[in-house]
Amino acid sequence: MARNREISFLGFCFVLCFSLFLLSSAFQSDELQDDEEFGLEGGRAPHIDYVNPIRSPSIRKRSSSDQDSDSKVQFQLEHAFGSSDFSPAGTFTARLKTWSHGGQTLTKLRFSRNGFSETENEEFKKLLESDDFYMIRVPSNVLSPPGRDYIISSVKARCLPRETLDEHFVIHMEGVNILAVNYGSPGACQYPRPLKLPAKWSFNSHTVLKNSEQAPRAPLPAFVEETLAGENVEGEGIKPPEKSFWAKYWMYLIPLGLIVMNAITQAMSLPEEPAGGQASSQTQTAQQRAPSSAVRRR
Amino acid sequence: MAMVLRLSLFLTVLLLSLNPSSALYDDQVGLMDWHQQYIGKAKHVVFHTQKAGRKRVVVSTEENVIASLDLRRGDIFWRHALGATDTVDEMDIALGKYVITLSSGGTILRAWNLPDGQMVWESLLQGSKPSKKFLSVMNFKMDKDNIIFVFGGGCLHAVSSIDGEVLWRKELTTESLQIQQVFQPVDSDIIYAVGFVGSSQFQTYQFNAKTGELLKQSVAAFHGGFSGEISFASDDILVALDATGSHLVLILYQDEISFHQTYISDLVPDSSGVERILPTKLTGIFALKTDSSVVFLRLIGEYKLEVVEKINSAAAFSDALSFSEGQKAFGLVQHVGSRIQLVVKLDNDWNSNLLEESVEIDPQKGLVQKIFINNYMRTDKSYGFRALIVMEDHSLMLLQQGVIVWTREDGLASIIDVTTAELPVEKEGVSVSKVEHNLFEWLKGHILKLKGTLMLASPDDIAAIQAMRLKSSEKSKMTRDHNGFRKLLIVLSGAGKLFALHTGDGRVVWSLLLPSLRRSGSCQFPTGSNIYQWQVPHHHALDENPSILVVSRCGLGSDALGVLSFVDSYTGKELSSLSLAHSIAQVIPLPLTDSTEQRLHLLIDASGRAHLYPKTSEAFKIFQSEFPNIYWYSIDAEKEIIRGHALHSNCGLEETDEYCFNTRELWSIVFPSESEKIISTATRKLNEVVHTQAKVIADQDVTFKYISRNLLFVATVAPKGDCPIGSVTPEESWLVVYLIDTVTGRILHRMTHLGSQGPVHAVISENWVVYHYFNLRAHKYEMSVIEIYDQSRADNKDVWKLLLGKHNLTTPVSSYSRPEVVMKSQSYFFTHSVKTMSVTSTAKGITSKQLLIGTIGDQVLALDKRYLDPRRSINPTQAEKEEGIIPLTDSLPIIPQSYVTHSLQVEGLRGILTVPTKLESTTLVFAYGVDLFLTRIAPSRTYDSLTEDFSYALLLITIVALIAAIFVTWVLSEKKELREKWR
């Protein structure tokens, strides 16, 4: 029994020392750090053209006389209910910017949504009831629609209704080509999807235009690279030809350590007694630490 | 309790002291790995029987391997794998010491030294257009040199065999000329080239072999037209089929061209459809292949043909072999029941046989496809013959003196797909007595090991230890083991044969030439495509065998009808097979099983309909509940469109088939064809296990991994960049990578690498993607990593929230929610080009990951994932260092010790498969190509088990010594106490 307590005390010492060692090293960075930290090495923030959400309760279409300047471009959004045919649902308007090197990009995207008509309301209700898909499509080329093919995107109709019908477009562009449209609700869509009718049958649309971003590359000065790489390779390259000391002789070292510990505790047999009760309680806290440190190791 | 604590402590200390890489010691090779060398299906064979030295044969194969085999045992002396594009066209022997190969469409001529396989010389021959390839070696009696005549690329070359120098070159590329034969009659200095111009003109050329001078050129028109190939009827008469295929045309070509027709039906009365003239190099006899039989015809007298023999069974025959002065023999092999019969005949005397042997053959080897014969001198000075036979399953065997001397399973060189199966559970009441019986042996073994550890062992002992370790019967048992190291690898070969290999020693447990993958009337060109696990019994593991599903197609087109066959994994018997009425474009194993634990599979056909298998009402019921939640995607590589699909309704067309469903397109991504071209895609492995969603980072903070099964990685390059490295400038080449959610078609991430190009190899695991490509600006290969983190769960860090249940960790995740993800990415240079890439997988996903990279040198390199961490920085903080973040370097280190294949090469490496074992730390790695290699690796070392060379005896002795010491000290202390009390 006494031996057992000794061992547990020893174990406690070990754990305490170890966790102290860990804690002392962990404490110094115990401040809230945001993800900015990763921004440093993860590259610059994505270049996104945010367009303020436009509310467009009116059904009025933008007249074609708006296309007075050649830098303005328009393309249609079409929608379908379940497996019905596609019909016009809104118009995107954007400014086409031609760069000096010949590339063309869209900026200042605006969107005017047509409201639902009576029949469309009914159809949408049907979709809500059957938990079916509400589908949209846009041309893959904004200059010569529909381009090679239409870009289709769809969402479960039950994801859209909140107060109004909330929708969110992310349009991925490459020059004047649309690659893909991510269409869905602006926030979460819980599962299982409950049947919920919107309070107001109008659309609240958000649109985001996204272009490709460049891959980040570590900003590493050449000479630092060299030296670092050199050191690292050397360090990794030279391996002990034999198994490490621990791997080879641990079976001797453990008992040796135990014997030494035993001897020490026997030497301090007097102060051990009062500390006993406290030790056991502290062991538990130490135990809680130990696994967490083990996890961190992975 | 304290003990446990201490143990865990020691473990952590041990882990700390360990290096990230693990290597093998010299004496550990072969303990847990095996390596098998193959060559592939033999295409050309050149026998080489030097009077002195060992008997060898040189073989070139469909896998573009040239190998020298030992005729006695079938072992490989040397071997060269030419690249995948460097197809061997012809092979011959020159000067008695060089093997000459013509490859790459008749443009590369190489000479290899026979004894050691060193390349002696290489000549690049220039040709102008693709054509037939011929190679012949001519021996001038007066000269030391042999001249090699090569026809390839529309040009006739004469090449010196000493140094590969081109002596002369003649171009034969007039309008629509197709050279059919290039040959040189025995003992003459004239080379003939004969061919067709258009469909009805016959043209001959005669060249002086020494100078290349054109001696004669003649053309003659034949009104009936020609079809197919030209063969020899005799030395001076050629034979061809006319355009309708109903007449044989004999062509006298040497002086004046003249034609003579013979109606085939007159010769072979019941021949319905003559297919072709078989290419033979016999003199006096040629063979016609009709749809049911092979007919041998002989020329008698002037233009008169005679049927010599008609063989109705499958048969193969060899080229003529001149074995003694003026005598030529050839071999003919045919099936007689379950035996094959080999006959060697003189080519001018059909009725007598030089040799007749018959031998029993494994029915799983299929039909005979090719035969090559060779003669040798028997001890009684008579001529003996041996034959190399290539079977339908691509195996190669040597037949001599009526027995099969050796067999090589060379079908294993062309593996198409691999899956694994567990072994049967060990029945009880077997093992205990065995262990007791071997107790003494066991002890002896451990004493030996102890001696080895303490360096007391003599060389004999060391040898005994090594032998004991290598042939440990433990690893090749046919039952499941506790650690899950023993499994069956089920592989499908290109010949349509299934093999089950034991992971312990790599032996073939069973093999099956799938009947549904053999050519038949209804299925002309069957091609196997994939294997899936069909039924994996867990509840009935003792009384039911697992089975696998083999998916194949009856043809090469996408609309070819599908064939399914079900095979028992333990016995290798085909349980059943199904000929489908629809094609198979995609096979989706669903995560659903029925009550007999058969996995549900959804097969998508070319017209976009989905079919459910197995076709049972129970399966349908299970499927119905998940009906709205099934999504998949398809990639249209020609149009550069990726589409997402979902199920819609039952097929309306077939009223009875309730297992057929219509589908609908949900989303599409259209890549602009003028700027992007899909070159690579990758998805997560279906069976991958992720242990934890949270990742603790240095400052006690938690980030959440974005773990989605529906992640698709797509890499596109500029259309110009899809060509070999070096042909585009960095400005006109770029690489765009996408991460796509395949349910909604949402592009989660899109990133451009300017000035980079393919080929791209990518691997997805957990929440990261690693891909490899070429950076044109830096002139180096690069590897990039993208890690995806979920921000929507980021506020679950508060312990109080967790305790009070105010967290969103248990709410189901829907793909329709807008993901709040954060990407971290980084690129590193990498020295090697890569053939294939894979990642380790373990049972519970706790062990850290290693990337397995198949290098260009056909080796497998294990690279710790920690090197590909986007969070690496130049000067990591103390906390980050502790977490295991390596300081940033611009290139990834290649540590020689971390080659999984150590000193071996997996020739022609094509794929790497990782299989988790039950032991969490360990994973099995199977690399396949022309060779096979299997090993066990532990990415974080075997932290959960003792190594095999652990000395239990030493531990025992230590414990005994400790107990003794305790007693001694106890007695001593007692005595001391007593003495003190007496004082």
Side-chain angles (χ1 to χ4, degrees):
Chain A
M1 188 62 209
R3 183 170 298 282
N4 206 349
R5 199 172 295 163
E6 277 166 36
I7 290 171
S8 71
F9 175 71
L10 276 177
F12 158 69
C13 284
F14 249 97
V15 173
L16 197 71
C17 293
F18 191 67
S19 53
L20 269 175
F21 165 70
L22 276 184
L23 280 175
S24 63
S25 56
F27 269 142
Q28 60 191 9
S29 59
D30 195 15
E31 57 182 37
L32 184 74
Q33 287 199 352
D34 241 336
D35 289 319
E36 297 303 321
E37 183 202 340
F38 307 118
L40 287 177
E41 45 185 47
R44 65 192 104 109
H47 168 76
I48 299 171
D49 261 4
Y50 260 100
V51 175
N52 288 332
I54 308 152
R55 290 183 183 218
S56 49
S58 66
I59 312 170
R60 189 166 18 101
K61 260 193 186 178
R62 213 162 270 269
S63 65
S64 54
S65 65
D66 271 8
Q67 277 183 320
D68 48 0
S69 66
D70 58 347
S71 64
K72 208 157 221 182
V73 73
Q74 241 184 31
F75 55 96
Q76 281 234 316
L77 174 84
E78 293 175 303
H79 65 179
F81 302 91
S83 36
S84 75
D85 286 336
F86 282 95
S87 55
T91 314
F92 287 100
T93 325
R95 188 173 287 277
L96 184 68
K97 199 167 180 182
T98 307
W99 298 93
S100 52
H101 55 74
Q104 287 177 312
T105 49
L106 290 188
T107 51
K108 301 200 175 159
L109 184 77
R110 288 170 186 280
F111 177 53
S112 79
R113 184 70 142 114
N114 305 349
F116 274 158
S117 66
E118 258 331 289
T119 49
E120 283 172 339
N121 261 355
E122 283 310 307
E123 285 200 68
F124 196 82
K125 263 183 207 156
K126 258 186 240 161
L127 288 188
L128 288 178
E129 274 154 22
S130 57
D131 191 21
D132 211 344
F133 290 102
Y134 175 66
M135 303 168 96
I136 57 141
R137 72 174 187 188
V138 292
S140 65
N141 189 312
V142 295
L143 293 184
S144 57
R148 283 201 302 138
D149 204 340
Y150 280 103
I151 312 281
I152 303 174
S153 189
S154 50
V155 70
K156 287 274 184 189
R158 289 191 186 176
C159 289
L160 294 180
R162 271 152 222 227
E163 281 302 298
T164 53
L165 291 168
D166 289 3
E167 59 181 1
H168 187 266
F169 295 87
V170 182
I171 301 176
H172 291 266
M173 302 288 302
E174 174 68 51
V176 293
N177 292 302
I178 299 179
L179 277 174
V181 176
N182 302 342
Y183 180 66
S185 67
C189 177
Q190 59 169 306
Y191 185 88
R193 293 175 281 271
L195 175 59
K196 190 172 75 181
L197 290 177
K200 239 170 95 186
W201 283 88
S202 65
F203 274 100
N204 183 7
S205 313
H206 306 253
T207 51
V208 176
L209 205 60
K210 255 190 184 174
N211 278 308
S212 184
E213 57 186 278
Q214 276 222 32
R217 175 92 220 174
L220 213 58
F223 64 95
V224 179
E225 278 171 31
E226 299 277 299
T227 51
L228 268 176
E231 274 171 23
N232 203 42
V233 166
E234 258 175 44
E236 298 292 346
I238 299 165
K239 286 270 141 71
E242 288 280 308
K243 292 182 188 179
S244 74
F245 185 75
W246 259 109
K248 230 172 155 182
Y249 299 111
W250 64 273
M251 58 283 267
Y252 310 105
L253 291 176
I254 295 170
L256 204 78
L258 287 178
I259 290 168
V260 171
M261 288 298 209
N262 253 334
I264 292 168
T265 41
Q266 268 190 358
M268 331 188 289
S269 55
L270 270 178
E272 182 223 343
E273 283 305 316
Q278 209 185 339
S280 66
S281 67
Q282 280 189 3
T283 323
Q284 278 183 355
T285 54
Q287 276 164 19
Q288 282 177 351
R289 285 248 175 255
S292 77
S293 64
V295 165
R296 196 141 26 96
R297 213 96 324 271
R298 306 231 153 83
Chain B
M1 192 64 202
M3 210 51 219
V4 174
L5 245 175
R6 190 163 301 162
L7 210 79
S8 69
L9 243 169
F10 266 113
L11 272 177
T12 19
V13 171
L14 266 176
L15 273 174
L16 268 176
S17 65
L18 287 179
N19 285 310
S21 74
S22 61
L24 278 182
Y25 291 91
D26 193 19
D27 61 343
Q28 287 174 318
V29 169
L31 274 186
M32 43 194 191
D33 55 354
W34 48 262
H35 181 226
Q36 294 176 353
Q37 294 187 312
Y38 293 103
I39 53 175
K41 184 187 184 185
K43 203 156 63 170
H44 306 105
V45 170
V46 174
F47 287 93
H48 144 63
T49 45
Q50 274 181 336
K51 289 194 180 78
R54 280 171 290 191
K55 308 273 188 266
R56 299 181 181 194
V57 59
V58 183
V59 180
S60 80
T61 70
E62 308 267 350
E63 304 291 326
N64 304 336
V65 172
I66 303 164
S68 171
L69 302 179
D70 184 345
L71 265 181
R72 297 264 157 77
R73 298 186 309 277
D75 298 341
I76 296 171
F77 276 120
W78 53 262
R79 185 176 57 156
H80 294 289
L82 311 179
T85 53
D86 201 3
T87 318
V88 181
D89 302 311
E90 291 287 332
M91 186 167 72
D92 208 335
I93 207 160
L95 292 175
K97 59 180 181 183
Y98 294 159
V99 180
I100 311 289
T101 60
L102 180 68
S103 60
S104 280
T107 56
I108 301 177
L109 191 69
R110 295 189 181 97
W112 313 85
N113 194 15
L114 264 177
D116 55 4
Q118 304 250 0
M119 190 163 78
V120 184
W121 50 259
E122 180 182 53
S123 281
L124 293 175
L125 307 175
Q126 271 152 24
S128 45
K129 64 167 192 182
S131 71
K132 287 199 160 188
K133 279 80 69 175
F134 296 98
L135 175 75
S136 73
V137 177
M138 181 175 157
N139 189 10
F140 287 111
K141 289 268 157 54
M142 45 283 192
D143 223 333
K144 281 267 170 73
D145 194 1
N146 287 7
I147 295 181
I148 304 161
F149 295 104
V150 179
F151 182 77
C155 290
L156 182 64
H157 305 261
V159 183
S160 160
S161 60
I162 291 174
D163 52 5
E165 190 195 345
V166 177
L167 301 174
W168 53 263
R169 174 169 181 268
K170 280 278 177 279
E171 204 157 320
L172 300 176
T173 49
T174 49
E175 207 57 23
S176 71
L177 170 73
Q178 280 194 315
I179 297 291
Q180 294 287 329
Q181 284 281 359
V182 176
F183 56 94
Q184 170 218 358
V186 187
D187 298 330
S188 95
D189 281 358
I190 299 171
I191 308 269
Y192 288 89
V194 300
F196 301 134
V197 181
S199 64
S200 64
Q201 289 211 326
F202 179 77
Q203 177 139 22
T204 64
Y205 294 93
Q206 294 181 22
F207 295 98
N208 183 325
K210 284 189 176 163
T211 58
E213 184 193 348
L214 180 62
L215 300 172
K216 200 175 165 192
Q217 178 181 5
S218 45
V219 190
F222 176 68
H223 59 88
F226 298 102
S227 68
E229 305 205 351
I230 288 185
S231 183
F232 290 97
S234 72
D235 281 339
D236 51 359
I237 297 175
L238 294 166
V239 62
L241 281 174
D242 75 346
T244 59
S246 59
H247 288 82
L248 282 172
V249 186
L250 295 175
I251 309 163
L252 197 70
Y253 65 91
Q254 271 178 336
D255 301 316
E256 285 290 302
I257 300 174
S258 63
F259 304 104
H260 190 272
Q261 290 188 63
T262 313
Y263 196 47
I264 293 173
S265 296
D266 292 346
L267 294 167
V268 195
D270 52 345
S271 75
S272 47
V274 174
E275 283 181 350
R276 59 203 166 94
I277 296 176
L278 290 174
T280 52
K281 285 180 186 160
L282 306 176
T283 48
I285 294 173
F286 66 95
L288 265 186
K289 173 103 179 72
T290 63
D291 51 3
S292 63
S293 57
V294 177
V295 181
F296 287 89
L297 296 161
R298 185 167 60 182
L299 197 69
I300 42 168
E302 194 100 322
Y303 305 135
K304 194 153 167 42
L305 289 167
E306 173 190 66
V307 174
V308 192
E309 190 163 347
K310 191 174 168 186
I311 298 169
N312 286 321
S313 60
F317 52 91
S318 72
D319 291 343
L321 165 84
S322 63
F323 63 99
S324 70
E325 207 56 46
Q327 282 192 303
K328 281 190 175 181
F330 73 98
L332 176 70
V333 60
Q334 51 184 314
H335 286 263
V336 182
S338 64
R339 302 171 75 86
I340 56 166
Q341 189 185 32
L342 170 71
V343 183
V344 177
K345 293 172 191 282
L346 282 173
D347 68 341
N348 51 15
D349 181 12
W350 190 273
N351 296 322
S352 66
N353 295 336
L354 288 171
L355 181 83
E356 192 173 343
E357 286 167 357
S358 109
V359 64
E360 190 75 33
I361 200 149
D362 182 2
Q364 297 305 337
K365 291 202 175 298
L367 305 175
V368 173
Q369 291 207 328
K370 278 181 184 166
I371 170 175
F372 305 92
I373 63 163
N374 172 236
N375 64 310
Y376 61 95
M377 203 63 108
R378 290 209 186 106
T379 43
D380 60 352
K381 301 277 178 193
S382 62
Y383 287 105
F385 293 92
R386 55 169 86 92
L388 266 182
I389 297 174
V390 181
M391 303 297 292
E392 195 180 352
D393 67 342
H394 298 182
S395 64
L396 183 70
M397 56 191 191
L398 183 77
L399 205 63
Q400 187 176 336
Q401 293 157 12
V403 287
I404 297 169
V405 185
W406 49 260
T407 314
R408 293 181 58 85
E409 286 287 4
D410 276 307
L412 285 170
S414 57
I415 290 178
I416 295 174
D417 199 8
V418 190
T419 188
T420 54
E422 293 288 341
L423 281 162
V425 183
E426 193 159 9
K427 301 278 193 294
E428 278 182 36
V430 185
S431 56
V432 183
S433 58
K434 216 172 157 190
V435 168
E436 278 177 3
H437 182 251
N438 286 337
L439 195 64
F440 178 68
E441 293 278 309
W442 184 84
L443 223 103
K444 208 171 109 186
H446 278 291
I447 298 283
L448 266 176
K449 270 189 194 170
L450 176 66
K451 269 172 132 180
T453 319
L454 297 177
M455 295 171 190
L456 296 170
S458 63
D460 284 351
D461 287 344
I462 292 173
I465 295 169
Q466 190 63 10
M468 203 167 61
R469 290 162 80 190
L470 283 177
K471 70 171 177 20
S472 134
S473 63
E474 192 62 17
K475 66 178 185 184
S476 57
K477 263 200 218 162
M478 272 305 292
T479 51
R480 244 175 247 193
D481 63 332
H482 183 67
N483 289 333
F485 293 160
R486 294 199 296 258
K487 283 176 199 295
L488 282 180
L489 284 171
I490 298 177
V491 302
L492 177 66
S493 79
K497 193 175 184 179
L498 277 177
F499 294 89
L501 304 175
H502 195 287
T503 54
D505 51 4
R507 68 175 191 277
V508 175
V509 177
W510 53 259
S511 63
L512 170 73
L513 191 64
L514 277 173
S516 56
L517 275 176
R518 294 178 71 174
R519 214 171 147 165
S520 65
S522 60
C523 193
Q524 275 295 317
F525 297 100
T527 47
S529 65
N530 288 99
I531 35 183
Y532 299 91
Q533 289 179 341
W534 177 252
Q535 188 181 15
V536 186
H538 295 288
H539 308 311
H540 311 281
L542 278 171
D543 44 57
E544 253 182 84
N545 292 358
S547 56
I548 53 162
L549 164 72
V550 184
V551 176
S552 45
R553 296 184 180 92
C554 272
L556 302 167
S558 64
D559 52 351
L561 298 184
V563 179
L564 303 182
S565 41
F566 306 92
V567 180
D568 189 311
S569 310
Y570 290 170
T571 61
K573 298 275 176 296
E574 189 174 41
L575 301 170
S576 63
S577 76
L578 273 178
S579 283
L580 307 181
H582 56 84
S583 57
I584 303 174
Q586 232 176 327
V587 180
I588 305 170
L590 300 172
L592 307 167
T593 53
D594 67 6
S595 61
T596 58
E597 292 177 86
Q598 284 186 349
R599 185 160 297 278
L600 271 56
H601 283 70
L602 201 62
L603 271 58
I604 315 292
D605 65 16
S607 59
R609 264 178 290 179
H611 304 264
L612 176 70
Y613 289 88
K615 290 192 172 189
T616 58
S617 56
E618 187 202 356
F620 184 74
K621 215 175 284 167
I622 297 167
F623 180 68
Q624 202 74 43
S625 63
E626 288 296 323
F627 190 85
N629 293 333
I630 292 168
Y631 300 87
W632 70 96
Y633 67 94
S634 62
I635 297 171
D636 190 339
E638 278 168 29
K639 290 186 182 161
E640 317 293 334
I641 298 177
I642 301 180
R643 298 174 208 274
H645 307 271
L647 293 167
H648 189 220
S649 59
N650 252 37
C651 289
L653 298 172
E654 293 105 303
E655 65 283 350
T656 49
D657 193 2
E658 57 175 328
Y659 305 105
C660 164
F661 306 95
N662 282 325
T663 63
R664 66 166 152 199
E665 193 181 327
L666 285 188
W667 53 264
S668 64
I669 296 173
V670 182
F671 296 102
S673 54
E674 64 272 15
S675 65
E676 290 184 38
K677 184 176 184 337
I678 301 172
I679 56 162
S680 174
T681 59
T683 51
R684 263 181 73 186
K685 259 204 227 168
L686 280 175
N687 56 359
E688 194 190 52
V689 184
V690 179
H691 176 64
T692 170
Q693 215 192 6
K695 181 174 176 176
V696 183
I697 52 173
D699 42 7
Q700 305 284 319
D701 206 352
V702 179
T703 51
F704 289 87
K705 301 172 187 170
Y706 178 79
I707 293 165
S708 165
R709 290 211 177 278
N710 308 314
L711 208 59
L712 170 70
F713 169 85
V714 178
T716 65
V717 289
K720 268 189 183 173
D722 189 28
C723 49
I725 290 160
S727 44
V728 283
T729 59
E731 284 71 35
E732 55 190 17
S733 180
W734 54 84
L735 175 82
V736 192
V737 296
Y738 297 88
L739 284 172
I740 297 166
D741 183 296
T742 57
V743 172
T744 59
R746 202 183 285 276
I747 295 181
L748 296 171
H749 190 54
R750 175 172 164 218
M751 197 162 77
T752 312
H753 294 267
L754 290 177
S756 296
Q757 74 167 127
V760 174
H761 297 273
V763 64
I764 300 190
S765 174
E766 292 196 358
N767 66 326
W768 49 263
V769 186
V770 169
Y771 51 99
H772 177 270
Y773 54 91
F774 190 77
N775 186 331
L776 284 164
R777 286 187 206 278
H779 309 290
K780 278 177 186 175
Y781 282 100
E782 231 174 35
M783 274 171 101
S784 287
V785 58
I786 305 175
E787 289 192 358
I788 316 157
Y789 292 97
D790 193 351
Q791 286 297 97
S792 63
R793 310 201 158 201
D795 17 310
N796 294 325
K797 286 172 199 162
D798 199 338
V799 182
W800 286 110
K801 270 191 182 173
L802 285 176
L803 284 178
L804 297 171
K806 284 186 180 171
H807 58 84
N808 59 355
L809 290 178
T810 49
T811 52
V813 183
S814 170
S815 286
Y816 288 106
S817 303
R818 199 159 75 93
E820 300 167 44
V821 290
V822 171
M823 306 285 167
K824 288 169 195 172
S825 132
Q826 185 58 279
S827 304
Y828 303 94
F829 291 127
F830 187 67
T831 320
H832 286 306
S833 62
V834 165
K835 280 190 165 176
T836 178
M837 203 152 68
S838 182
V839 66
T840 58
S841 54
T842 52
K844 303 270 187 294
I846 300 170
T847 310
S848 65
K849 301 262 175 187
Q850 275 184 344
L851 287 166
L852 299 171
I853 298 165
T855 63
I856 197 74
D858 292 323
Q859 292 200 304
V860 179
L861 176 74
L863 182 69
D864 211 299
K865 167 68 180 59
R866 289 194 302 154
Y867 287 110
L868 279 155
D869 190 332
R871 292 173 51 230
R872 283 173 68 180
S873 56
I874 296 174
N875 292 312
T877 62
Q878 189 58 36
E880 280 176 336
K881 268 186 197 160
E882 242 174 67
E883 189 201 333
I885 286 185
I886 303 161
L888 183 67
T889 53
D890 72 332
S891 58
L892 298 169
I894 291 172
I895 305 158
Q897 286 95 327
S898 59
Y899 279 103
V900 171
T901 43
H902 42 92
S903 62
L904 302 170
Q905 275 186 314
V906 187
E907 207 71 70
L909 183 64
R910 277 201 309 270
I912 302 169
L913 177 86
T914 57
V915 187
T917 61
K918 271 187 212 155
L919 199 64
E920 169 54 32
S921 65
T922 315
T923 164
L924 294 176
V925 176
F926 180 56
Y928 58 91
V930 174
D931 289 357
L932 311 181
F933 177 80
L934 183 127
T935 191
R936 257 189 346 239
I937 60 167
S940 312
R941 299 258 176 138
T942 47
Y943 55 82
D944 50 1
S945 72
L946 295 167
T947 52
E948 250 161 45
D949 51 349
F950 180 81
S951 176
Y952 290 93
L954 194 60
L955 182 69
L956 217 80
I957 289 172
T958 318
I959 291 170
V960 169
L962 259 177
I963 292 171
I966 287 167
F967 267 100
V968 169
T969 45
W970 179 67
V971 168
L972 283 178
S973 72
E974 286 285 294
K975 275 186 183 166
K976 197 181 169 194
E977 248 173 63
L978 195 65
R979 234 180 291 138
E980 271 177 8
K981 279 185 183 160
W982 272 108
R983 192 175 286 167

